[in-house]
Amino acid sequence: MSTFSRLYRADTSFDFVGNARRWLIISGTIVFVSLAGFVIRGLNLNVDFEGGVIVQVANETNATVADMRAALTAIGLGDARIEFLDSLDGATAFRVRTPALDEALESELVHTVADTGGVGIEETDVEAVGPTFGAEITARAIQALVVFLVVVALFIAWRFEWKMAMAGLTALFHDLIITFGVYALVGFEVTPATVVAVLTILGYSLYDTVVVFDKVTENVESWSDSHTYTEIVNRAMNQVLMRSINTSLTSLLPVGSLLFVGSYLLGAATLREFALALFVGIAAGTYSSIFVASPLLAVWKEKEDYWQLHRRRLEGRREAKLTKASAGRTSAPRAARPPTVGGVTPRPPKKRKKR
Amino acid sequence: MSKRAVTMLVILAVAWGGLALALTNDMAPKLGLDLKGGTSVILRAPEGTDSDVLAKAVEVMRSRIEAIGGVQEPEIQVSGDRNVLIQLPGVTNQEQALSVIGQTGQLSFRPVLAERTAGDPFAGLLDTTTTTNPTPTSTTAPADDSTTTSSSTTTSSSTTTTTTTTTLPGIDPDSGLTIADDPTQPGWLAQYAEDGTIAEVLLVGGTDLMGDQVDEALPFFDPTENRWVVQLGLDSTGADAFEAMTKQAAQYGLYIDPQRRIAIVLDGEIMSAPWVTPDEGIAGGTAIISVGSQQEAQDLSVVLRYGSLPISFERLDVKKVSATLGSDSLQAGLVAGLGGLILVAIAVVFYYRVLGLVTVLGISVFGSLLIATIGTLGRVQGLTLTLSGVTGIIVSIGITADSYIVFFERIKEEIREGRSLLLAVDEGFARAFRTILTADTVSFMGAFLLYALAIGPVKGFALSLGIATVVDVIVAYFFTRNVVGILARTGFGEGGWFSIRGATGVALEGSTS
């Protein structure tokens, strides 16, 4: 049977957790590169965050936004924001915003804008502007974010358990760092739309992780008698794998379409700002729920006394079975009794009632 | 007709009917500045204004505009040394928004020195006998103070005060009011009634207790007194000044002497002039102001919170602006988004067969409900859809599609475990719905917190995401469950390649364990 039809029937048995070390090393490397890019190159914040220059001219030549855009593209400022102003008496004007420029480029900008508007340089109005997405909005967004993360962690801890909350948050930070890393490394402009896209990624990443953990919890209820925690997680991963792939596909198709068709083929550079963040973030979110959150959870839970004891007991039982099966061997070693952990009575995991 | 069929038809009717109604009744979603353009206003501060003060003013303006709810995502930035550029999306509340941001907004708390009635404009300028009906407002110490009991009653007894004044410079001879109010100097100021007439004229003293000393002002309902109040909090210097002022006022007769009152003045206009009910000064910087209705409480708290622009602005320029994003980008985005959705539709139909068709139909129901809701909110609440909001919606389509996938994968799983199709569909939904609820709760909490705590574009995004999450749960419960339930009982359940069982990859006879 082909891998696809096995996937289709959820018949796969990939060992996700067994390779945990490998996945975590890969993720760790990507995160490290992202952080390095972040530190070395920094983010390219656009005029909405940093402020910049506004050039305003009367439109004497009845030029269109497209004319202005073409003129600006010629001097390499194609992604400036162009606004068409319309007064009540019918006179029109342009307002062009760019990030802060060096003196030569700024004077080139002023000349270009004045030429397109058909007025002299002395009639253009050039002003340095402050950010629209200022410190206040940023501070409030960060404050909201911190509260959100704490509440979500508490919710997952209550609904599932706190190790899942921690694993989910780890995956979330992983996705965030990678997304910002891509921005830093590629040097794309970060705009307010990017910030919103990043917030979306948070929700998406958590959503994805919650679906996987929901399956794990359910499997613990029905499978824990005969399987180790790692096996349970692996099983859950294989069960939700097709769902993860399909969901990423249905999310990535429209976003990818926005990114590639919208921004490259039809030349709408402004869409790129958020489509790229969404694309990277969603891809990272799917990856991390499979390769970061779950392996991390499995490795962590396996360290618990209960699950260690459980594993040894199961291994013992399986070995005994094997021994019995190989009849004729008289000197088969007895199944080792599971060692006990001195002084500590291991606690069984909390079993939740099915709802 | 079965209950399922009825429910399904009802939700289809609500969704598509709602969409049709919204679009035909001019309730299509209002588009924000980046998508549709709006109004651009330039305000100029006095020369030599400190940049910190300017930044503070921008902050106050943003709060004010967001507090009136008419404009969702104003764009405000400092431009040059002393200009502020404000861009407001939408048109309907433009006038209101302009009037709110245009206010110079200097808020002060002033001791009342004397009063007289309106009507005879020259009354206060010569020897007069005045009669007044005090407004039913009063200032009291925080809630635990027992003296609040009597304060809510409106005193209708007329007060007679004899004031001797002569015509002073700076007094408008027509109205008898002070022409230019300086908060540090006494002045004759009016409180206006709703219809714009003068309700009351008071002589208020100079003060150093200004609006920027207000920390918080919250309207709430006081159940023990059965009325609306505004809780006022002042910073430490404000608290001292307030205590001194109320102590001074407390010497005079309650509901008899106007000097027992404190006037809250915004831009030379008296907003409220409550009586001080406790017989000593109000210490600690907190006070409860009792007012009549909920509306009054809300209005007063907005004035108190946002009423203090540190500087007064002059309006320089008002113009219409084009969409900042550009219609070319918008068109490209729509084409691309639509193309992406068609790809998704093809993929899910190929993969889930008849259930894929359900998904496509379900997403149209979801989209219709969402557009109708956003359109209605736009009309009622002034919600505008910006690029951030559109982003939220595009992503929520992905999350909605996921709800279907979670459900369908569940059905496949149940069938592989050997359950009958009907049981698999019911049991599968019950379990999948639990997962969907958990995951949507996380999204909704995020949306709610972001909406409550953030400002600017983040708020717009959070609102559309929150609405989308709720709509997702509704569609899953009322639409998807019923449609799949009905399909499972028809030829589309057990039939061939295109059926539900066909999508599970498990043949009818050879079910695996």
Side-chain angles (χ1 to χ4, degrees):
Chain A
M1 226 187 308
S2 72
T3 312
F4 179 76
S5 56
R6 288 225 311 279
L7 267 174
Y8 197 92
R9 302 174 50 139
D11 213 12
T12 53
S13 51
F14 297 118
D15 186 7
F16 291 99
V17 181
N19 295 315
R21 182 183 290 268
R22 186 187 301 164
W23 308 132
L24 295 180
I25 287 175
I26 292 176
S27 287
T29 313
I30 301 175
V31 166
F32 179 78
V33 171
S34 300
L35 280 178
F38 197 64
V39 170
I40 296 166
R41 292 181 55 112
L43 290 175
N44 177 12
L45 297 175
N46 92 331
V47 59
D48 290 316
F49 294 97
E50 302 261 273
V53 189
I54 283 187
V55 184
Q56 192 169 329
V57 291
N59 183 16
E60 303 279 338
T61 54
N62 281 327
T64 62
V65 174
D67 296 337
M68 183 62 85
R69 169 102 48 210
L72 290 175
T73 307
I75 59 165
L77 294 172
D79 47 8
R81 273 171 63 186
I82 302 168
E83 290 166 2
F84 190 75
L85 304 172
D86 194 359
S87 0
L88 300 173
D89 54 16
T92 58
F94 286 105
R95 189 186 283 154
V96 177
R97 277 166 217 254
T98 70
L101 306 168
D102 62 51
E103 234 170 271
L105 195 52
E106 186 175 317
S107 107
E108 204 175 346
L109 168 75
V110 174
H111 275 96
T112 309
V113 173
D115 283 353
T116 312
V119 297
I121 313 166
E122 63 288 346
E123 286 169 67
T124 57
D125 187 8
V126 186
E127 253 177 7
V129 288
T132 56
F133 200 98
E136 170 79 359
I137 301 187
T138 312
R140 292 282 294 269
I142 290 174
Q143 185 194 342
L145 205 61
V146 171
V147 176
F148 165 61
L149 290 180
V150 171
V151 172
V152 162
L154 289 176
F155 175 75
I156 297 179
W158 169 78
R159 179 74 177 72
F160 301 114
E161 59 173 303
W162 70 272
K163 285 188 179 169
M164 287 189 173
M166 291 302 117
L169 286 189
T170 309
L172 184 112
F173 282 116
H174 168 269
D175 301 341
L176 274 186
I177 292 171
I178 289 181
T179 308
F180 276 124
V182 168
Y183 268 81
L185 289 172
V186 179
F188 273 133
E189 260 193 5
V190 174
T191 68
T194 315
V195 172
V196 168
V198 165
L199 293 172
T200 311
I201 292 165
L202 296 182
Y204 189 87
S205 170
L206 281 168
Y207 189 101
D208 220 35
T209 309
V210 163
V211 171
V212 175
F213 285 173
D214 193 52
K215 194 75 202 172
V216 171
T217 311
E218 193 187 309
N219 284 359
V220 167
E221 281 165 9
S222 53
W223 280 57
S224 64
D225 291 343
S226 51
H227 293 81
T228 65
Y229 201 86
T230 302
E231 286 164 350
I232 291 169
V233 172
N234 261 333
R235 169 82 184 166
M237 299 306 307
N238 279 294
Q239 282 170 321
V240 298
L241 184 60
M242 202 59 223
R243 178 246 146 217
S244 291
I245 293 173
N246 280 339
T247 300
S248 327
L249 206 67
T250 52
S251 309
L252 287 180
L253 279 175
V255 175
S257 168
L258 271 185
L259 180 60
F260 296 111
V261 182
S263 70
Y264 292 106
L265 296 184
L266 299 178
T270 22
L271 292 174
R272 196 171 57 190
E273 300 159 359
F274 73 91
L276 181 81
L278 282 180
F279 196 84
V280 175
I282 290 174
T286 310
Y287 168 84
S288 70
S289 70
I290 299 175
F291 295 102
V292 178
S294 304
L296 205 62
L297 177 72
V299 169
W300 202 357
K301 290 291 282 186
E302 281 288 355
K303 291 212 162 74
E304 279 181 16
D305 291 337
Y306 174 85
W307 289 105
Q308 266 185 15
L309 190 66
H310 184 66
R311 166 180 280 273
R312 294 199 190 104
R313 202 186 291 131
L314 283 176
E315 277 168 359
R317 210 190 291 159
R318 284 173 195 170
E319 206 176 314
K321 233 184 208 166
L322 213 67
T323 318
K324 226 183 257 172
S326 58
R329 288 172 62 184
T330 46
S331 59
R334 288 184 57 173
R337 274 174 64 95
T340 49
V341 183
V344 184
T345 315
R347 221 157 30 95
K350 270 191 282 175
K351 282 198 180 182
R352 284 187 169 272
K353 276 189 216 140
K354 275 189 190 173
R355 292 181 184 182
Chain B
M1 220 165 26
S2 71
K3 199 176 143 199
R4 287 172 201 272
V6 173
T7 316
M8 183 194 85
L9 288 177
V10 166
I11 193 159
L12 276 179
V14 169
W16 289 342
L19 179 67
L21 270 179
L23 294 185
T24 51
N25 277 328
D26 193 28
M27 304 245 290
K30 283 206 280 186
L31 298 179
L33 191 69
D34 49 356
L35 301 179
K36 202 189 177 185
T39 305
S40 154
V41 183
I42 298 176
L43 298 179
R44 168 163 290 180
E47 197 150 358
T49 302
D50 191 60
S51 66
D52 284 349
V53 177
L54 215 52
K56 169 78 181 159
V58 166
E59 209 179 289
V60 171
M61 283 184 209
R62 185 187 302 285
S63 323
R64 279 190 187 178
I65 295 172
E66 286 184 359
I68 61 171
V71 184
Q72 262 298 317
E73 291 181 28
E75 229 177 61
I76 307 176
Q77 67 190 131
V78 175
S79 161
D81 295 336
R82 43 191 274 233
N83 293 348
V84 176
L85 174 61
I86 304 164
Q87 312 222 57
L88 304 166
V91 207
T92 49
N93 277 311
Q94 194 170 299
E95 279 310 311
Q96 189 191 358
L98 278 179
S99 72
V100 168
I101 53 172
Q103 276 174 24
T104 50
Q106 205 160 36
L107 180 75
S108 57
F109 293 83
R110 319 265 287 266
V112 175
L113 302 178
E115 67 184 354
R116 66 185 165 79
T117 45
D120 179 4
F122 297 99
L125 307 175
L126 307 164
D127 290 3
T128 45
T129 306
T130 58
T131 321
T132 189
N133 293 327
T135 50
T137 53
S138 59
T139 305
T140 62
D144 54 332
D145 195 317
S146 57
T147 55
T148 52
T149 24
S150 61
S151 58
S152 62
T153 46
T154 307
T155 320
S156 55
S157 66
S158 305
T159 319
T160 310
T161 315
T162 310
T163 329
T164 313
T165 38
T166 47
T167 310
L168 292 165
I171 299 280
D172 178 3
D174 291 332
S175 63
L177 298 173
T178 300
I179 294 168
D181 177 50
D182 177 353
T184 61
Q185 300 299 321
W188 282 105
L189 302 177
Q191 179 166 18
Y192 293 89
E194 218 143 276
D195 57 9
T197 57
I198 292 176
E200 190 177 19
V201 175
L202 298 174
L203 176 64
V204 297
T207 185
D208 55 354
L209 180 53
M210 305 298 288
D212 57 357
Q213 285 161 295
V214 175
D215 268 347
E216 56 161 15
L218 293 170
F220 69 91
F221 186 75
D222 181 357
T224 55
E225 302 290 336
N226 195 33
R227 64 186 168 178
W228 279 88
V229 300
V230 175
Q231 173 153 12
L232 175 70
L234 297 158
D235 67 12
S236 56
T237 56
D240 294 342
F242 190 68
E243 185 178 0
M245 198 187 292
T246 47
K247 202 169 188 171
Q248 175 76 23
Q251 298 170 4
Y252 302 95
L254 186 60
Y255 304 130
I256 299 167
D257 194 323
Q259 299 193 63
R260 184 71 180 246
R261 300 170 75 183
I262 303 280
I264 299 169
V265 177
L266 180 68
D267 289 339
E269 184 183 327
I270 296 170
M271 295 287 121
S272 179
W275 293 89
V276 177
T277 47
D279 286 326
E280 66 275 2
I282 301 173
T286 56
I288 305 272
I289 304 170
S290 319
V291 290
S293 66
Q294 176 175 8
Q295 189 59 46
E296 281 173 56
Q298 268 161 2
D299 288 349
L300 184 60
S301 68
V302 167
V303 165
L304 289 170
R305 257 183 296 167
Y306 306 122
S308 60
L309 268 190
I311 29 174
S312 59
F313 285 92
E314 154 198 7
R315 194 184 296 173
L316 209 62
D317 177 44
V318 182
K319 278 202 175 77
K320 281 198 290 185
V321 210
S322 66
T324 48
L325 191 63
S327 53
D328 50 340
S329 295
L330 188 59
Q331 203 127 34
L334 285 179
V335 169
L338 213 61
L341 284 179
I342 291 171
L343 284 179
V344 168
I346 293 172
V348 290
V349 171
F350 172 75
Y351 195 80
Y352 289 114
R353 322 286 161 86
V354 69
L355 292 180
L357 279 185
V358 173
T359 311
V360 174
L361 202 64
I363 287 180
S364 96
V365 171
F366 170 82
S368 307
L369 280 175
L370 199 60
I371 291 173
T373 311
I374 290 174
T376 310
L377 278 180
R379 184 72 167 272
V380 178
Q381 265 260 294
L383 168 67
T384 50
L385 201 55
T386 62
L387 184 62
S388 315
V390 175
T391 316
I393 290 172
I394 290 178
V395 172
S396 66
I397 289 177
I399 288 180
T400 304
D402 182 74
S403 301
Y404 289 93
I405 292 167
V406 167
F407 178 28
F408 299 159
E409 290 294 329
R410 266 297 182 178
I411 294 178
K412 284 166 70 174
E413 201 177 306
E414 299 284 330
I415 285 183
R416 273 194 301 272
E417 279 170 15
R419 294 217 167 79
S420 78
L421 183 68
L422 291 185
L423 208 61
V425 165
D426 287 346
E427 184 71 6
F429 183 81
R431 291 178 163 216
F433 194 63
R434 219 183 77 184
T435 308
I436 293 169
L437 264 189
T438 306
D440 272 346
T441 305
V442 171
S443 295
F444 187 77
M445 278 192 316
F448 179 78
L449 288 172
L450 285 177
Y451 183 77
L453 298 176
I455 49 178
V458 176
K459 222 182 175 86
F461 162 77
L463 192 58
S464 34
L465 182 65
I467 295 170
T469 313
V470 174
V471 172
D472 179 37
V473 173
I474 292 173
V475 172
Y477 194 80
F478 291 107
F479 177 76
T480 316
R481 183 177 65 148
N482 292 316
V483 172
V484 175
I486 292 169
L487 280 179
R489 284 166 177 77
T490 65
F492 286 112
E494 298 282 359
W497 183 88
F498 197 64
S499 69
I500 298 178
R501 188 177 289 277
T504 63
V506 179
L508 185 55
E509 51 286 340
S511 58
T512 53
S513 57

